[in-house]
Amino acid sequence: MPYGAVMQRESPRIGLDDVHRFAVPSDPALRPDGGAVAYTLTTVDVEADENRAEVWLAVPGAEPRRLARGSAPRWSPDGRTLAFLRPVDGKPQLHLLPMDGGEPHPLTSAPLGAGPARWSPDGTRLAYAGPAAPQPDPHGTRPAYASPAGPEPDPHGTRLADAGEGLDPNAPVVIDRLDYKADGAGLLRGITTHLFVVDVASGKSTQVTEGDFHAGEPSWSPDGTRLAFAADLEPDRDLRPGGAAYTVLASGGGEPERLTGPDLLCGGVWWLGERLVAAAQKGGPVGHVRLFELGPGGAAEIETGLDRNVMTGHPGYPGASPALLGGDLVFCARDGGCSHLYRIPGGALATKIVPEEVSVAGASSAGERVAYVAATPHSAGEIFLLEPGETTARRLTGHALADADLYLPERRTFTAPDGTLVEGFVWRDENAATPGPLLLDVHGGPHNAWAPVLDNFRVYRQILAARGWTVLAINPRASDGYGEAFYTAAVGAWGLADTQDFLAAVDTLIAEGVADPERLAVTGYSYGGYMTCWLTATTDRFKAAVSGGPVTDLTSMSGTSDMGLLLKAYECPGDLAAQSPLTHVGEVTAPTLLLHGESDDRCPVGQSEQWFAALRERRVPVRLVRYPGASHLFQGGGRPSHRYDYNERMIAWLEQWVSGSRS
Ligand SMILES: CC(=O)N[C@@H](C)C(=O)N[C@@H](C)C(=O)O
């Protein structure tokens, strides 16, 4: 079916056009009285080739309904107003929607846009973290947070055409430090992220942090006088990972006050009642995130009894900000493939409060109630509400593709040659002929993980299963959700440590007669793209490969990725060439399709270009497809037509090169 055609389901099975039929909820906000959940619903505008965000409302016992075009809804403390973001001239601005009737009205007109709102406890102000133009420096004096290099015309050495309204896109960009770009944003050009406080009644906006650093999401103190946030204010923050918890006067004019020491790499901080809770890594940037309570005596780790990574929620990584449920702390941690919601009842250890086969990607609590978004084997996401005293949450929405007949994942455990147990998930039609073609699907990170839930991007899994393929998605060592020792088991040994996990799983399905050893294919994105290249360079097992956004050369990656130094110094310390697929590219025979975002600043497109050139020189069948404007995370939030194309090309490539698999 051509892209953009009318979305009439041709078959009960998932098809390519379902890429634009999914409706995925996110960012839930439970009304303070616990009686309703506002949330963002993302759908696809096929004609405009855009993802469309709307604010919806779910009330127990009623059909969910659309409230407004926009995203990131946040209730006022009295539950009578919703603040949310809506694009104005291409920049997100805060709007207010009175819930007793009336139209939304704009609150901010921030020159570079605003960010998700945080209401002050008294409901008179909103705080947000948003982009701020660099401070022009008319007097040549050192800005408040200048680098140690001494007085500079401005901290980023970037000439500004007009600091108020934006930047001259043709101005030379002068770069003195490594943190000059970020995937999704491109060249930062001196733009930083700072905290703003907006008076609801007057709309007056006050920037309460400034300088050469990026402030994280704000959290209000109970008395409404201060904001807590995470940031790295060190001048050489581009040379080593950092991040600390700070507070600052919400009225502006104050200096941030640091609360945590250099031993904690703090990624977020929240006032939860009178408690100040931080999410941080201890001792280094590769390892589990833990929770700490901050007080006069410093930071004290919160004992959860879990050897699991706390998930506070980032693009591509599910989870939720810590919150209070009654008087108890609730947080997300990954266990197996799923991001679960845990509760720490007073003084006891954490217990899981969300059923096994879901993955939580956003939560909001009020009193003794908690609402959350979760993906399930049947749905890419629904809104659930857990009522006091209940052990099973109530599903409030029905955004699943109700007319689709889905293949459900089978959870499997495999044993690597060194005895390590590796979990995985298999999608296949039980009536498929055996042995049949098998696609090994490798996740990214490498500290991400697959979950046994429906993925609104990877429709290829369902389509291939309907065509007789087995799709095998495993969580090898370095995956999240299996303890910190497992999580760090491939540090400095990318490819060298985890290859055995993939081959053990494939060999098990071959031994069971499910997979045909002559019809094996491999795919993956980012680190999964890395492993796709690694496996085809170090074995001849695979007859076709589809590598998305790969890492192929860690040496060039370390100098061109926005996380290059983190990789070189912490994830892959030591011999970069020994851990790079490019070192072995001369061994590749598998026809390889490379799919890469043109504006990927995490794994720059040059990583695919190097692989493409090396295979083409040897006349190995290879194709590189570049997606204009696409960042590293385009699979999740990129253009619908790019996501459709990615799936379509993958299926065509596999059926072209894996014999006998053409449907
Ligand atoms: C941490 C990170 O960005 N790693 C990349 C190499 C990667 O795998 N990215 C995404 C897609 C992921 O799944 O983590």
Side-chain angles (χ1 to χ4, degrees), residues 255-301:
E255 295 289 318
E257 178 188 344
R258 182 166 181 159
L259 302 179
T260 53
D263 59 326
L264 292 186
L265 305 185
C266 184
V269 57
W270 299 266
W271 250 300
L272 304 177
E274 295 297 326
R275 301 172 71 176
L276 195 53
V277 173
Q281 291 165 301
K282 194 163 188 174
V286 181
H288 280 177
V289 171
R290 307 158 190 275
L291 295 175
F292 297 83
E293 183 146 3
L294 309 184
E301 184 167 351

Side-chain angles (χ1 to χ4, degrees), residues 317 444-445 448 525-527 551 563 602-603 632-633:
Y317 290 76
N448 217 325
Y525 187 81
S526 196
Y527 184 82
V551 179
M563 63 179 282
R602 179 59 46 87
C603 301
H632 192 58
L633 297 179

Side-chain angles (χ1 to χ4, degrees), residues 103-491:
E103 287 303 309
H105 59 271
L107 179 68
T108 61
S109 55
L112 297 177
R118 299 284 186 275
W119 286 88
S120 62
D122 64 4
T124 63
R125 293 158 294 162
L126 292 177
Y128 71 84
Q135 299 299 317
D137 189 1
H139 311 297
T141 52
R142 283 173 66 107
Y145 300 98
S147 66
E152 310 171 44
D154 74 62
H156 298 280
T158 304
R159 185 174 65 81
L160 298 170
D162 172 355
E165 277 304 315
L167 304 168
D168 172 2
N170 301 311
V173 180
V174 178
I175 292 163
D176 297 317
R177 296 190 326 200
L178 292 174
D179 52 355
Y180 59 90
K181 66 178 181 178
D183 184 60
L187 292 174
L188 298 179
R189 296 171 181 267
I191 290 177
T192 47
T193 302
H194 282 293
L195 303 190
F196 297 81
V197 173
V198 188
D199 180 80
V200 171
S202 65
K204 178 178 179 297
S205 178
T206 304
Q207 182 173 338
V208 298
T209 61
E210 66 177 9
D212 179 20
F213 66 92
H214 301 287
E217 290 298 315
S219 177
W220 286 94
S221 61
D223 65 3
T225 61
R226 298 188 77 83
L227 292 170
F229 65 98
D232 187 348
L233 272 59
E234 298 301 321
D236 64 350
R237 69 172 184 273
D238 62 323
L239 295 177
R240 48 152 202 75
Y246 290 88
T247 70
V248 70
L249 281 175
S251 55
E255 295 289 318
E257 178 188 344
R258 182 166 181 159
L259 302 179
T260 53
D263 59 326
L264 292 186
L265 305 185
C266 184
V269 57
W270 299 266
W271 250 300
L272 304 177
E274 295 297 326
R275 301 172 71 176
L276 195 53
V277 173
Q281 291 165 301
K282 194 163 188 174
V286 181
H288 280 177
V289 171
R290 307 158 190 275
L291 295 175
F292 297 83
E293 183 146 3
L294 309 184
E301 184 167 351
I302 296 171
E303 182 50 60
T304 64
L306 299 173
D307 177 14
R308 291 293 181 269
N309 185 34
V310 171
M311 306 279 292
T312 58
H314 295 288
Y317 290 76
S321 300
L324 282 184
L325 186 56
D328 299 339
L329 184 61
V330 292
F331 64 96
C332 274
R334 187 126 65 171
D335 182 39
C338 294
S339 165
H340 287 282
L341 207 51
Y342 288 86
R343 179 176 195 165
I344 306 181
L349 297 178
T351 53
K352 198 180 282 185
I353 57 175
V354 169
E356 191 67 31
E357 294 297 335
V358 299
S359 201
V360 174
S364 169
S365 62
E368 286 286 348
R369 288 178 173 80
V370 59
Y372 58 89
V373 170
T376 76
H378 301 271
S379 173
E382 299 292 356
I383 300 288
F384 293 87
L385 179 64
L386 187 63
E387 302 273 5
E390 297 295 327
T391 54
T392 303
R394 180 175 179 181
R395 179 166 58 85
L396 302 187
T397 59
H399 292 303
L401 298 177
D403 56 354
D405 184 4
L406 297 171
Y407 291 103
L408 301 181
E410 177 193 1
R411 188 185 284 266
R412 290 292 303 268
T413 300
F414 305 98
T415 305
D418 69 359
T420 300
L421 294 182
V422 174
E423 194 167 59
F425 309 100
V426 174
W427 284 262
R428 66 186 300 274
D429 188 315
E430 61 186 9
N431 300 314
T434 54
L438 176 135
L439 175 67
L440 173 64
D441 198 348
V442 185
H443 69 66
H447 307 305
N448 217 325
W450 291 130
V453 296
L454 184 62
D455 185 315
N456 67 300
F457 166 69
R458 293 174 178 84
V459 296
Y460 61 79
R461 289 179 174 164
Q462 297 283 330
I463 294 169
L464 289 170
R467 296 182 184 185
W469 285 71
T470 294
V471 179
L472 168 62
I474 72 163
N475 288 329
R477 67 196 75 194
S479 302
D480 186 12
Y482 303 90
E484 193 160 36
F486 194 87
Y487 186 99
T488 56
V491 172

Side-chain angles (χ1 to χ4, degrees), residues 582-642:
L582 197 67
T583 304
H584 311 286
V585 71
E587 304 303 319
V588 176
T589 57
T592 301
L593 173 64
L594 296 156
L595 305 172
H596 216 123
E598 189 74 46
S599 301
D600 187 335
D601 282 316
R602 179 59 46 87
C603 301
V605 70
Q607 295 294 307
S608 277
E609 290 172 337
Q610 289 178 257
W611 199 256
F612 173 78
L615 294 194
R616 180 64 188 136
E617 285 165 18
R618 294 174 46 242
R619 299 182 185 279
V620 176
V622 63
R623 173 174 295 155
L624 168 58
V625 179
R626 309 165 75 108
Y627 294 95
S631 72
H632 192 58
L633 297 179
F634 81 99
Q635 289 186 332
R639 279 187 180 278
S641 61
H642 288 173

Side-chain angles (χ1 to χ4, degrees), residues 9-23:
R9 180 174 293 288
E10 291 183 324
S11 140
R13 293 295 183 188
I14 289 283
L16 279 171
D17 61 345
D18 283 303
V19 164
H20 34 246
R21 294 186 66 218
F22 281 96

